Amino acid sequence: MPDFPKDRLTLPKSLGVLLIIAIILASLNLRPAVTSLGALLDLVIEDLQMNGFVAGMITGIPPLCFALLGPLAPRLAGKRGPELVVVAAMAAVLLGIALRSVAPGTGFFLLCTALALAGIAVGNILMPVLVKRWFPEKVGIATGAYTTAVALGASGVAGIAVPVNQMLGGNWRVGLGFWGLLALVALVLWVVVYFGLKNQIGHHQQQAKTDTQAADLGPMSKNSTAWWVALFFGGQSAVAYIFMGWLPKIFIDFGASPAFAGSLLAILLGVGVPLSFVMPALAAKFANQAPLVIINGVVGMIAIIGMLIAPLQYAVLWVVLLGICGSNFPLALTMIGLKARTAAGVSRLSTFGQSAGYLLAFPGPFLVGVLHEVTGSWTAPMLLIAGLIIFQTLVGVMAGLPRYIEDAQRQEIL
């Protein structure tokens, strides 16, 4: 573990508890705008008369938005502080969800969705920063708390979005707008937290400037540790978004009923909830996270081989194994917090690692669709996924080595 500055203010216990609750609530809002839309997409397409290209773009665009909009976060945080920027991010998520629920046409719907995704992109970048900033000696536990919330927000909303929509009358506008209430709660709490932490924020802003000046990080694009983390983040993100978008159809084409195929996706995402808490705490105990990466890679390859040989007979087992492999997501986020010595370093690494990673992940779901369309089979797409699992394992081993981005003077670029 890195050495932490000794002059950081001790956070009052009550504020510390309130802050971690606020971080958890913000994290719960980092996926529902995406997963609720996926669950109700057919209704939206029919009502707004979207063509196939637009519908396909909606399902594949979240990682691209995260990649392009994420770099805004450190610039804004550097001027206003990450706490105030998270307040603005929650407001953007709330407005985006609320306004798209009354969108009269496709163009306005896409614009509002982009607004919500912008808030999510900023939140993605700043959660590791806030953990390092306020809980530098509890990175594993605090990261576990917020990554569990991200996983819960994804799996929970994916599982109940349709029943909730039916309970509210079956109108997709009400069904999508409902999740704005979660963002509203997070926004209110973050406003309270911001004013409660105002004195401490001033100290941390000054400390962040000192940290930045003391560490000559240089461009992250020339930092080998930053690249390994970015490649690992991109590899695991590509596999995750492929399965979020294609897993039900893969199993339906293998012969499963639509209901069973949907439940398999819920199981995959659900497995990630407890692992999102366990993995960061476990990773923080090791100087080298490579063994955890290897275990996840082996488990993932077993699942892919099983799906190719006996997809339906042991379908539940395969998706459970894929869910375990998917714990590379909280592991990658934990690495962002562990591979920098200061909050300023984490901010730089989080921005570069997630932005470059999501950009690398963006083509994955489209390539799977193209391969399936061209070959008429799922064999080639499954082999592509296997290749991505091998790739993320190899680069993850390098990312997990015990070193920091501040040691760039002793590193060589790839």
Side-chain angles (χ1 to χ4, degrees), residues 40 43 160-172 174-176 178-179 181:
L40 303 177
L43 296 175
I160 67 173
V162 172
V164 167
N165 185 64
Q166 293 173 344
M167 183 182 67
L168 295 173
N171 187 324
W172 67 263
V174 180
L176 287 185
F178 172 81
W179 300 106
L181 294 175

Side-chain angles (χ1 to χ4, degrees), residues 310-322:
L312 291 183
Q313 189 174 2
Y314 302 103
V316 173
L317 174 61
W318 307 144
V319 297
V320 168
L321 293 179
L322 289 174

Side-chain angles (χ1 to χ4, degrees), residues 271-283:
V271 168
V273 175
L275 289 177
S276 291
F277 185 77
V278 173
M279 182 58 73
L282 189 60

Side-chain angles (χ1 to χ4, degrees), residues 74 76 101 103 171 174 191 200 239 243 264 293 297 323 348 390:
L76 296 171
S101 68
N171 187 324
V174 180
V191 170
Q200 286 84 357
V239 174
F243 281 126
L264 289 174
V293 175
R348 295 282 300 278
I390 293 172

